[in-house]
Amino acid sequence: MTSLEPTSGAGTSHSPRPIKVRRMRFGYTAKPLERHYVQGDLVMSHVVAVLSALFPQGEDFFVRSVRHYADRITDPDLKKAVAGFTGQEVSHGREHRALNDQLQLMGYPTARIDRFTEKGLARAERLYPPRYRLAVTAALEHYTAALAETLLSDPDAREILGDTEVRSVLLWHALEESEHKAVAFDVYRAVGGTERMRILAMCVTTCMFLGVLLLHTTRSLLADRAAYHPVRLVKSIAALRHSPFLRRAVIRRVAAYLRPGFHPNDNDNTALLDEWTARLFGEQGSLSDHLV
């Protein structure tokens, strides 16, 4: 029988790979974004805007959930990983706030979504104990890692983002999410989090996350005149069936989290990280000029 008790001695340990904090600067004036900036796709443009709007408050929540247990972490490698995780997440929040300001000017309700998210997470912090909040953080970090590594590994996923500055932001974000994907999980395990709570948190979080994403995307679309063109709307919704982010391999990857004994590093991403670190930040890296 599989144990549902704390798993501090089981599974793959956190990676010793250094987690580098990169200060970035993105701009949206040199090449302004089109209204439907995801290759002209109506629904996906709203989905990406909603996800970006959720990130800043979400990243802050992740940092608070992990840092709550900072004084209980004794492993020096994990301490360094937490510091790197914190720095990266703070940077993600800052850059997504800048992107969200641009999206707000374009007509997307990013400010409203940010306020809604802030209130919802504040309520969660009042209602739920710290260890459960950490379990939720680990679950959401698994989602972001699965989507991030799909973006990095699947040319079709990158193709739909075109060559806009949004693509640059998301590639940088994807690389760093992949670098620190195991940190919240390892902290959860180090402080005695159980398999039972981890799996329960993933089930509850999945329902909440998908519900919030659907709610905000629908409300965002309702405020867009283009969504009232029935042919365009139906074609855009139908195209979601072929989205690289909804392929069976991605769904299986997300669902693997429910397996007792799972660890984020079960999916080895070392080669992917090496490839994209060089492609983005190597000598001829496409984002080297964005580093501050």
Side-chain angles (χ1 to χ4, degrees), residues 102-171:
Q102 179 63 33
L103 292 172
Q104 181 73 32
L105 292 174
M106 293 164 57
Y108 293 94
T110 52
R112 184 184 69 198
I113 295 170
D114 182 81
R115 292 192 298 271
F116 180 95
T117 307
E118 182 178 24
K119 291 178 182 177
L121 292 176
R123 183 166 55 251
E125 289 183 280
R126 291 194 302 269
L127 294 176
Y128 302 123
R131 191 170 294 169
Y132 182 78
R133 299 198 301 266
L134 184 57
V136 169
T137 295
L140 287 170
E141 283 288 293
H142 177 65
Y143 264 104
T144 55
L147 295 176
E149 291 178 12
T150 299
L151 180 62
L152 297 178
S153 62
D154 190 334
D156 291 341
R158 297 193 297 278
E159 177 65 24
I160 65 175
L161 294 176
D163 61 353
T164 67
E165 193 77 332
V166 174
R167 181 181 190 271
S168 298
V169 172
L170 293 181
L171 285 174

Side-chain angles (χ1 to χ4, degrees), residues 7 57 138 150 157 221 241 276 288:
T7 56
Q57 296 297 337
T150 299
L221 281 165
R241 294 179 302 168
W276 279 95
S288 294

Side-chain angles (χ1 to χ4, degrees), residues 12-29:
T12 309
S13 65
H14 63 276
S15 170
R17 185 187 184 103
I19 297 175
K20 185 174 182 179
V21 179
R22 305 172 182 88
R23 291 293 303 272
M24 304 293 290
R25 179 180 291 120
F26 297 93
Y28 306 96
T29 55

Side-chain angles (χ1 to χ4, degrees), residues 132 135-136 138-143 196-209 253-258:
Y132 182 78
V136 169
L140 287 170
E141 283 288 293
H142 177 65
Y143 264 104
R196 190 188 306 277
M197 179 181 286
R198 178 182 71 79
I199 293 171
L200 172 64
M202 181 57 161
C203 293
V204 174
T205 299
T206 295
C207 295
M208 297 286 289
F209 172 67
R253 169 84 181 278
V254 172
Y257 194 90
L258 300 176

Side-chain angles (χ1 to χ4, degrees), residues 20-28 87-88 90-92 94-96 98 165 168-173 175-176 280-281 285-292:
K20 185 174 182 179
V21 179
R22 305 172 182 88
R23 291 293 303 272
M24 304 293 290
R25 179 180 291 120
F26 297 93
Y28 306 96
Q88 286 188 342
V90 169
S91 294
H92 298 169
R94 181 178 59 250
E95 294 306 322
H96 275 281
E165 193 77 332
S168 298
V169 172
L170 293 181
L171 285 174
W172 159 70
H173 193 165
L175 173 66
E176 296 196 345
L280 297 180
F281 299 106
S286 61
L287 295 185
S288 294
D289 61 340
H290 287 60
L291 285 167
V292 178

